[in-house]
Amino acid sequence: PPPPPRDFLGYLQALGPLIAAFVAAGVGGIQYFLQNRQFKQSLFENRLKVYSSVEAYLTLLLQTDGKTEIPDYREFRLNTDPGEFLFGSKVWNYIQDVGRTGLGYRRVQSDIEHCNVTINASIHGTVNERQYAEALDRMTTLQHEREDLRIKVNDAFSGGMKDIFHDDLQFGHDHTWLGGFAARLKRFVDDDVPAKFASKAKDY
């Protein structure tokens, strides 16, 4: 006699191994997706620390008009050196340029103070006319250099820095179809739907 026709649940039971394989592949995909998201989150946080350190150093340069101390620069280097491994060459070169700007700003302010000492000393006759003339001439050059540095730091702080870091600090919700599929599949597995289905299938 011909075998009895299978009902709908019979077909589902026959497809059980295929469904289980599909769910296993889905779980593996979810794990990969979540691990990738965790990696991106960690990378974002480390990059943000570097960005915040650059911003803090530029703020200090503005507040002190470049009259910083060597420990300030050392702290900047300590906090931003990981950027060499976290960013591309464009951002890393920018970070190095900020450091050089800070040191240059400090040097210019120190040289200006030294010239002021020489100019003021001429009033008391403790320096000769040649030293006085050299100090005046160098002071003019240093003042122009200081103004250029002020503009550079101000431009960096007011938007230039954000433009440089912008592409590397994008971290939002994943709106791709893969992200949506993984989220739905995760809810499917978390609700234990496959186990519930298998349990019901056994009842028949």
Side-chain angles (χ1 to χ4, degrees), residues 10-136:
Y11 283 109
L12 288 181
Q13 286 178 323
L15 292 174
L18 180 61
I19 295 175
F22 172 76
V23 172
V27 171
I30 291 173
Q31 290 176 340
Y32 170 80
F33 176 77
L34 294 178
Q35 288 174 353
N36 188 50
R37 291 283 291 183
Q38 185 177 9
F39 169 77
K40 288 182 178 180
Q41 175 70 40
S42 176
L43 179 62
F44 171 79
E45 291 175 353
N46 289 328
R47 284 176 169 176
L48 186 60
K49 289 179 182 178
V50 174
Y51 171 85
S52 299
S53 297
V54 175
E55 184 179 44
Y57 189 58
L58 288 172
T59 300
L60 181 64
L61 291 175
L62 285 175
Q63 291 175 341
T64 62
D65 196 17
K67 298 176 183 178
T68 56
E69 302 296 335
I70 290 299
D72 298 322
Y73 175 74
R74 288 175 179 166
E75 182 179 1
F76 165 77
R77 283 292 306 273
L78 179 66
N79 294 332
T80 60
D81 274 357
E84 182 178 4
F85 310 103
L86 297 172
F87 297 98
S89 59
K90 181 182 74 171
V91 175
W92 176 238
N93 289 337
Y94 177 82
I95 293 172
Q96 290 180 302
D97 185 57
V98 170
R100 288 190 293 267
T101 298
L103 288 178
Y105 207 165
R106 180 179 184 276
R107 175 192 57 78
V108 166
Q109 290 289 39
S110 178
D111 289 349
I112 287 176
E113 290 181 3
H114 179 72
C115 287
N116 279 327
V117 170
T118 301
I119 293 171
N120 292 331
S122 66
I123 300 175
H124 305 288
T126 56
V127 297
N128 57 43
E129 292 184 4
R130 182 184 60 81
Q131 291 173 315
Y132 174 74
E134 289 177 351
L136 279 180

